[in-house]
Amino acid sequence: MTRLRWATFGLALVALAAAGCARRTPPPNPLPEVATGAPAAAPGAAVAAGETTAAAPPTEEPEAPKIKLSELCRRRRPEEESGLDATRRRLHQTVCGANLWLDTLFGGERNVENARRVSGRLELSSIYTEADGNSPKVRLRVNYDLPTLKHRFNLFLGREDPDEAIQDRREPFAVRSSVFGVEGDEKWLTGLGYSPPGRYSDKLDFRLGVRLQSESKIYVQGRYRRNFFIGERAVIRFRETAFWENREAGFGATTSLDFDRVLRPDLLLRWGNVGTVSEAIDGLAWRSSVLAYKNLRGTSAFSAELFVRGETGADVPLREYGVRAIYRRSMLRRWLFGEVIGGYTFPRKELLDDREGSAMIGFGVDLLFGDDPY
């Protein structure tokens, strides 16, 4: 009987324990198991009767490392790279990074591919004349289309003669020369340009620019260009530029008229004329020249020019006349050009000065960078 009583008591304890477990709710599982291949329950979905689940704690995503703009423009460095190639690559990388930063100022996302298509040129030259002595020069020109503004707007940056740039009176050499006149004083210019849709023979563009210095110059420029083709071998090029500058030049306009004639596939003859009037000029500042351009073998070219220039309202109306020639060719690389210039002119600046002959000689290096250098 004693053994039977203890067995009955033990069975009663087990029954009571089982009944208590059936009435209790199991503790929540912080990480509910999901069968492999079965979709997870959507947030807020009903749970089976008698069961509850706890939401998993949110996980914080690590912040992406910040990348320098210059790194976005970095290109693969070749295994064998000379100092000259490295200079060109770093120059392009620096300008590309600056353009990425400027692009965001006008809204939109950075367009790395477009920024890499930036192009420009760096020019180093030195010219000596008996009349003015030695004049070393450094020039830089960069142009970048803005993709966020439908490529109709472009940013430009350059170091050049501000009077030439504002008045649109750049030298009309058929051979693009990095050796310029000795009278100019290079300054940094930057601004925004706009080119509405147009044909090759009929174009209009505008510029708003600033000369970077302690007392900044602001200028506005509008330019209209038209080409009149005469047969298959001749063309008349007309260009009219209206400008305004806030400090010295004021309002003004420049008219350019050139006549080009192809004598042979390798020989071009040009008669170029340009005249400028402004509030800072007495009368008309004019220049006329006859130029012959000869394309030589490979990437070499030769050009000879006979020119005369003056200013109608000045004390000395005939400022200078003479002849000069340029030989230009690529060297070491297809994007690196060297040139030599020589000539003899007869300048006269003041009324009391005698007009005496002045020999000139100069050397220049022109480095093009970017996918589409101009």
Side-chain angles (χ1 to χ4, degrees):
M1 293 294 296
T2 305
R3 292 180 179 179
L4 181 59
R5 289 177 181 175
W6 280 110
T8 304
F9 181 71
L11 291 174
L13 289 178
V14 172
L16 290 174
C21 291
R23 287 194 297 266
R24 287 190 309 170
T25 303
N29 186 2
L31 294 175
E33 296 182 359
V34 180
T36 304
V47 184
E51 296 183 359
T52 60
T53 57
T59 57
E60 297 182 358
E61 296 182 0
E63 295 184 359
K66 295 183 178 180
I67 302 177
K68 295 182 180 180
L69 296 181
S70 59
E71 294 296 327
L72 295 176
C73 295
R74 184 181 296 277
R75 295 186 173 182
R76 181 179 298 178
R77 180 178 178 180
E79 296 181 359
E80 296 183 1
E81 184 182 50
S82 66
L84 189 61
D85 293 311
T87 299
R88 182 175 183 260
R89 177 178 56 82
R90 291 167 183 166
L91 179 61
H92 178 266
Q93 179 178 314
T94 301
V95 175
C96 173
N99 288 330
L100 281 177
W101 177 79
L102 288 171
D103 199 16
T104 58
L105 298 181
F106 297 90
E109 299 180 355
R110 297 187 180 101
N111 190 322
V112 179
E113 292 302 321
N114 190 79
R116 287 178 176 175
R117 288 195 292 267
V118 67
S119 60
R121 64 197 310 147
L122 176 65
E123 302 165 345
L124 308 174
S125 64
S126 180
I127 186 170
Y128 172 82
T129 67
E130 291 181 305
D132 297 291
N134 188 55
S135 178
K137 295 182 182 296
V138 178
R139 292 198 173 190
L140 174 68
R141 291 182 182 176
V142 177
N143 196 28
Y144 174 58
D145 290 335
L146 293 171
T148 55
L149 297 177
K150 308 300 183 183
H151 296 276
R152 293 298 175 190
F153 288 83
N154 64 84
L155 294 169
F156 62 89
L157 171 68
R159 180 177 173 82
E160 53 187 315
D161 187 329
D163 293 334
E164 287 185 359
I166 295 171
Q167 299 175 13
D168 196 18
R169 288 180 59 95
R170 292 185 176 91
E171 291 292 329
F173 251 58
V175 178
R176 179 63 183 84
S177 173
S178 63
V179 182
F180 298 88
V182 296
E183 296 181 350
D185 185 15
E186 280 66 35
K187 301 293 182 182
W188 285 103
L189 297 174
T190 186
L192 181 68
Y194 171 67
S195 300
R199 301 172 299 175
Y200 170 74
S201 60
D202 190 359
K203 287 188 177 181
L204 179 68
D205 56 72
F206 303 92
R207 275 192 170 189
L208 172 63
V210 179
R211 188 180 82 175
L212 304 177
Q213 59 176 21
S214 56
E215 296 181 355
S216 297
K217 276 186 177 181
I218 301 174
Y219 71 92
V220 180
Q221 184 186 88
R223 180 172 57 180
Y224 173 74
R225 291 172 288 174
R226 181 74 182 269
N227 295 333
F228 302 90
F229 292 93
I230 306 173
E232 298 180 354
R233 291 180 171 267
V235 60
I236 297 176
R237 306 181 188 275
F238 169 78
R239 185 175 74 250
E240 183 68 27
T241 304
F243 59 86
W244 173 82
E245 188 261 317
N246 67 326
R247 294 193 176 276
E248 299 173 4
F251 288 97
T254 296
T255 303
S256 176
L257 189 64
D258 300 335
F259 175 76
D260 290 357
R261 172 71 178 179
V262 177
L263 303 180
R264 295 191 326 223
D266 61 343
L267 183 61
L268 171 74
L269 185 66
R270 170 176 296 174
W271 178 31
N273 302 274
V274 62
T276 300
V277 293
S278 76
E279 297 181 70
I281 297 176
D282 295 328
L284 174 71
W286 57 275
R287 187 180 190 277
S288 183
S289 65
V290 176
L291 178 145
Y293 167 76
K294 179 70 168 63
N295 187 23
L296 305 176
R297 289 184 177 181
T299 57
S300 302
F302 175 80
S303 181
E305 179 191 40
L306 178 66
F307 73 95
V308 57
R309 65 188 183 99
E311 187 174 327
T312 58
D315 294 335
V316 181
L318 182 58
R319 186 69 177 269
E320 185 181 18
Y321 59 88
V323 62
R324 62 180 183 176
I326 288 181
Y327 173 72
R328 177 180 173 90
R329 66 164 299 163
S330 63
M331 55 183 189
L332 301 179
R333 301 290 189 275
R334 60 181 178 82
W335 39 261
L336 183 67
F337 292 85
E339 61 186 39
V340 59
I341 180 173
Y344 199 84
T345 68
F346 294 86
R348 187 182 182 188
K349 297 180 179 180
E350 303 294 338
L351 187 61
L352 299 178
D353 295 341
D354 295 328
R355 191 179 299 276
E356 297 180 353
S358 173
M360 63 169 9
I361 186 171
F363 304 92
V365 176
D366 193 0
L367 187 153
L368 311 183
F369 63 90
D371 293 337
D372 186 22
Y374 65 97

